[in-house]
Amino acid sequence: MKIVVCIKQVPESTEVQVDPKTNALIREGVKSIVNPVDENAIEAALQLREAHGGKVTAISMGPPQAEEALRQALAMGADEAILLVDNAFRGSDTLATSYTLAAAVRKIGEVDLILCGKQAIDGDTGQVGPGLAERLGMPQVTFAIELEAEDGKLRARRVLDDFFEVLEVKLPAVVTVVKQVNDPRHPGMKNVLKAKRAEVAKWGLDELGAEAKQAGFDGSPTQVIRVWPPEKRSEGKRIEGSAEEVVEELAKVLGEVG
Amino acid sequence: MDFTFNEDQTAVLEAVKGFCDEELAPKAQETDEAGAWPAENVRKLAELDLMGIPVPEEYGGLGMDFLTWSAVGEELSRACTTTGAVFGAHLLAVAPIMMFGTEEQRQQLLRPLATGEKIGAFALTEPGAGSDAAAVATKAVLDGDSYVLNGTKIFISNGGEAEIYVIITSTDPTRGARGMTAFVVEKGTPGFEFGKDEKKMGFASLPNRELIFTDCRVPKENVLGRRNAGFLVAMRTLGVGRIGMATGAVGLARAALEAAVPYSHQRHQFGKPISSFQAIQFMVADMATEVDCARLLTWRAAWMKDQNMPFEKEAAMAKLYASEVAMRATTKAVQIFGGYGYTREFPVERYMREAKLFEIVEGTSEVQRGLIANQVLRELNH
């Protein structure tokens, strides 16, 4: 199986500050990590490779420092890594991101499966995976919690709000996974050191043969008008005690609230 | 002396921290309470290539230095003292085979130790030989092409679980320290059995076992170093082992500090977090300063070893100071936790019990002071 995993480098904290002028996240001084659920996507890819053989390619679109995220994928066991880096990609929204990633997948060529995390902890849109499937004209399965491949098909269990859904799709397909799909492995130190020395390929607009007007700012119709942290909710009241006591206290509190 | 970590060291430490925080620390209490060999943690250390950090790559190790070993060991001990102790005891077999092993011994023994396929242990202590290391009574008598071992070792860390043991014996009792020989003996060798596993004040999941040799026949090729040069093997191993013990003590002291500080912010008395009281602040300041000092002493000793400089005195200083810091820091942590600190609800009472081990094991504080004094009195005798 030839598997491509799309990963994103994100700030470690979920409490990042937003620059009120530019509406962009302030990344200075915040450690960067691989988007946590993307590690699950990498793990899922590695497990499929271990079961069926093949090759895992990790790709990421981002600034030069996103190379670190790809090295993490290599340390975990990905066979190769490609960074999609170009000034022309700056300011990409999810439409432009999926455009660029799709161009990279086409350039990679023969691919059986594309795996993504269900969403990133910074933007939280969850649109890139589905967008990528649309761009590539492939079937998509989102929120996968179980994956099983056989005979050019993939069977996936999706986790939805109130129920599971089992889908079977023909490969190639795009699948986004949830956190519960697996426990990402901790890389061994030999792999960590090997990954530090490994080559990370860098592809820009020209290498992808992509159109500038579909990438970056120009390819991004989304305009962020304003970003602000949610108002902090006041602390809830916790009622403890035996069932009777709790019920009595709750009735009293509700009565007071009216 | 430069303790700035290079890119490789930084990458390794970062990966180790992630493993420690996510896998070891959350289960540390459970690991201790189980009172059983932490097999899963040990297997993971092997999977993560952590069992042979200072072993050259050609023998299956990472080929990194002792400073890196120490920085990693501190993280492991900080997250799970038991796992850190297994890691430290394993080094006591790795180090002498690295230093004294023949090419064949390195290929056969160092490789499985470095990959973690096999666990190691080192056995010097006997009922009658502790601080007086030259009083070893386990005898090894040459008989044809092999030696016959008879005697008993006690308190052996990783005992029973380890596969490869470095054993210090007496081959010529008339010559005392100059009549000792080191052997490598593998688990399963006929005549080599395990006895009592000590019930201890702390480290319930770390085996400290009796090794019993009854007419145990070991081929001549298993001599480590030269015949009658076993005291040197023991002393060199203990030198490295002191860096190992200092490392574990620093990790433990840090765990105490890292438990006490958040608690001092949460715990309110007199309408304020207790961290706002100077009495608590001063304890925190002393703990933090001493942990740093202990780490710097430990890293200096490791660095000197890496530079092939004599490091015995510095290792003794690091071991002495770090173990006493661990005792003080864990005692303060219990004090900061107050009544809760005395309960088993929080880890600090365990830390305090564990700390005491470091002041005793691998040369008591008194033995370290003796060693340091000897050297200082000689060096400064103009």
Side-chain angles (χ1 to χ4, degrees), chain B residues 218-337:
Chain B
V218 177
K220 244 177 14 186
E221 291 71 41
N222 287 28
V223 169
L224 189 60
R226 283 179 299 106
R227 177 186 158 89
N228 290 338
F231 192 70
L232 181 71
V233 175
M235 290 304 112
R236 287 281 186 82
T237 304
L238 291 180
V240 177
R242 284 182 191 118
I243 299 175
M245 284 302 149
T247 294
V250 172
L252 173 56
R254 205 179 116 202
L257 175 64
E258 289 179 3
V261 169
Y263 184 81
S264 72
H265 287 312
Q266 281 159 24
R267 172 74 175 167
H268 283 66
Q269 287 290 279
F270 307 103
K272 286 188 247 179
I274 62 170
S275 60
S276 65
F277 300 122
Q278 211 170 37
I280 302 295
Q281 290 173 358
F282 282 12
M283 281 197 254
V284 168
D286 287 344
M287 289 163 82
T289 306
E290 291 189 355
V291 168
D292 256 20
C293 282
R295 178 186 301 114
L296 286 170
L297 278 174
T298 307
W299 283 5
R300 179 183 64 167
W303 179 85
M304 289 175 79
K305 158 125 186 80
D306 288 328
Q307 307 305 311
N308 293 317
M309 293 160 73
F311 64 95
E312 277 68 25
K313 180 184 72 181
E314 287 74 14
M317 286 174 164
K319 196 271 176 185
L320 167 66
Y321 188 73
S323 56
E324 296 195 351
V325 164
M327 197 69 248
R328 284 197 291 274
T330 54
T331 307
K332 286 195 178 97
V334 171
Q335 196 68 20
I336 291 170
F337 273 75

Side-chain angles (χ1 to χ4, degrees), chain A residues 42-89:
Chain A
I42 298 167
E43 179 64 36
L46 297 174
Q47 288 182 9
L48 285 168
R49 183 190 66 190
E50 279 156 13
H52 304 281
K55 184 175 173 188
V56 173
T57 304
I59 66 173
S60 185
M61 187 192 81
Q65 61 266 28
E67 194 178 318
E68 283 312 303
L70 288 167
R71 291 199 188 280
Q72 171 72 10
L74 289 170
M76 287 175 72
D79 299 284
E80 61 174 10
I82 303 161
L83 179 63
L84 312 178
V85 58
D86 200 313
N87 272 333
F89 301 153

